[in-house]
Amino acid sequence: MQKQISNLDKLTLSNDFLFKHVMLRKRICKHILEEILHTRIADITYLEAEQTIDVYPDSHGIRLDVRIADAANTHYNLEMQVKNPVNRATGKFLLPKRTRYYQAMLDTDMLQKGQDYDELSPTYIIFFCLFDFFQDSQRIYTFKKRCLENMNIELADEAVIMFLNTLGTKGDVSPDIQSLFDYINSNTINSNFTREVADTIVEIKNDKKVRDAYMTYEMRMKDMRDEAHAEGKAEGLAEGKAEGLAEGKAEEKTATAKRLLSMGLSVEDIAKATSLSVEQVEAINAE
């Protein structure tokens, strides 16, 4: 128990658990959105934080860090991304298609049965990234759908994807956003805003409800890691068993072929009897 509490004390804003709880402070979250989007927001309402959306029973659920709607019914999903995930089997980076899936799930969740498509709310999916995914040093990468034949034509589906690169050096951001990037990167406090964020983090860490929630969160994460490890081990055992059975069958066919060869049967007949190829039987005969 003491170790889990100690772990909470060591967390920084880049941790998704702490990031979520800081973003649940309305004044801080609202200010960040206003500074990023260069607009005034009357008010924000929190939808279920860290909500898992399973639109269909067999669909791949997504866990959202912070989901918000403003007074104009624009929806925002804020995510902290520390690592750049990659599919080990293909070598492809997962972040672009993850945003595509997040957008699809948000839209499907918002559009209730019987509603028209034009009732879909404008959406912003915003990733705070501790790495430069696009390797162009931009502080903010903003994506909207545009016509390739004429880039002045926008699809205007009101769906925006934003990657906030905390390591960026190009493009203008407000002093408070730059100070937030510095704070995320190195825990450096260099503005009144990051001082407020840091003070809020201390307050959050001293909140007994948060400490209890973190213990539950840690146990849940451990269970998920243990489950994934067990599944991987089971898959490995199953693959090993299948490989062992295949090797056993191959050895059995080879032994049968040798016996039939010693009895003087032709290579062609042995191939038919053992389901081996003629070349395989000839190779056995040459040994």
Side-chain angles (χ1 to χ4, degrees):
M1 177 175 176
Q2 187 61 39
K3 182 176 183 295
Q4 289 172 322
I5 291 176
S6 175
N7 285 342
L8 174 61
D9 292 334
K10 294 177 183 177
L11 295 186
T12 64
L13 187 57
S14 63
N15 176 269
D16 59 354
F17 178 88
L18 191 56
F19 172 77
K20 179 194 76 172
H21 280 82
V22 171
M23 291 301 107
L24 288 176
R25 301 301 175 100
K26 182 179 286 191
R27 207 204 79 79
I28 291 176
C29 187
K30 179 173 172 289
H31 182 65
I32 289 173
L33 289 174
E34 289 178 333
E35 295 293 291
I36 291 171
L37 302 175
H38 307 289
T39 188
R40 306 307 298 174
I41 296 175
D43 193 16
I44 58 174
T45 301
Y46 289 94
L47 307 175
E48 186 179 353
E50 201 175 307
Q51 176 187 11
T52 298
I53 298 178
D54 289 295
V55 179
Y56 303 108
D58 57 350
S59 68
H60 179 67
I62 58 174
R63 181 178 62 81
L64 305 179
D65 282 348
V66 183
R67 193 174 169 204
I68 304 159
D70 65 17
N73 200 34
T74 298
H75 286 224
Y76 308 89
N77 170 218
L78 279 64
E79 301 285 331
M80 178 60 71
Q81 193 71 41
V82 175
K83 297 180 179 179
N84 189 7
V86 62
N87 185 321
R88 293 181 181 179
T90 64
K92 293 183 178 180
F93 292 104
L94 302 177
L95 202 53
K97 287 191 176 179
R98 178 180 293 183
T99 64
R100 172 178 166 182
Y101 191 73
Y102 276 30
Q103 185 65 62
M105 293 296 98
L106 285 172
D107 287 345
T108 306
D109 188 58
M110 274 192 292
L111 195 63
Q112 302 299 316
K113 186 176 181 180
Q115 289 183 304
D116 293 329
Y117 294 118
D118 62 2
E119 295 182 65
L120 280 172
S121 301
T123 59
Y124 286 84
I125 295 178
I126 303 172
F127 278 85
F128 288 77
C129 297
L130 276 70
F131 52 89
D132 187 356
F133 183 85
F134 300 99
Q135 299 294 309
D136 192 43
S137 299
Q138 299 292 336
R139 289 183 172 92
I140 297 180
Y141 299 92
T142 303
F143 292 88
K144 296 181 179 181
K145 296 184 180 71
R146 292 189 178 275
C147 175
L148 294 179
E149 289 73 21
N150 184 346
M151 295 299 286
N152 292 320
I153 300 175
E154 183 183 332
L155 185 60
D157 60 353
E158 297 184 306
V160 181
I161 309 291
M162 301 180 74
F163 297 89
L164 276 54
N165 171 25
T166 64
L167 303 176
T169 57
K170 295 180 183 177
D172 294 329
V173 293
S174 71
D176 278 355
I177 293 300
Q178 184 58 57
S179 69
L180 180 65
F181 287 174
D182 295 338
Y183 183 71
I184 292 173
N185 291 333
S186 60
N187 231 29
T188 302
I189 299 171
N190 54 22
S191 70
N192 291 334
F193 179 59
T194 48
R195 167 53 61 192
E196 180 182 358
V197 171
D199 290 343
T200 299
I201 288 175
V202 172
E203 181 183 334
I204 288 170
K205 289 180 177 180
N206 289 328
D207 187 323
K208 186 180 183 303
K209 289 184 178 179
V210 175
R211 297 179 89 85
D212 292 343
Y214 182 68
M215 291 174 65
T216 302
Y217 170 84
E218 280 280 88
M219 288 187 286
R220 186 176 65 185
M221 292 297 103
K222 182 179 182 301
D223 289 343
M224 290 175 64
R225 289 192 296 269
D226 290 346
E227 183 178 340
H229 177 73
E231 289 178 356
K233 188 175 181 180
E235 288 176 3
L237 289 172
E239 290 176 2
K241 184 177 180 180
E243 290 176 2
L245 289 172
E247 290 176 2
K249 288 182 179 179
E251 291 174 358
E252 182 181 341
K253 287 182 179 181
T254 299
T256 301
K258 288 180 177 179
R259 287 196 300 271
L260 295 177
L261 283 167
S262 67
M263 295 169 60
L265 272 70
S266 69
V267 170
E268 290 76 11
D269 288 340
I270 294 173
K272 291 178 182 179
T274 60
S275 298
L276 292 170
S277 66
V278 171
E279 291 77 12
Q280 287 174 314
V281 176
E282 288 177 342
I284 294 171
N285 190 34
E287 293 178 357

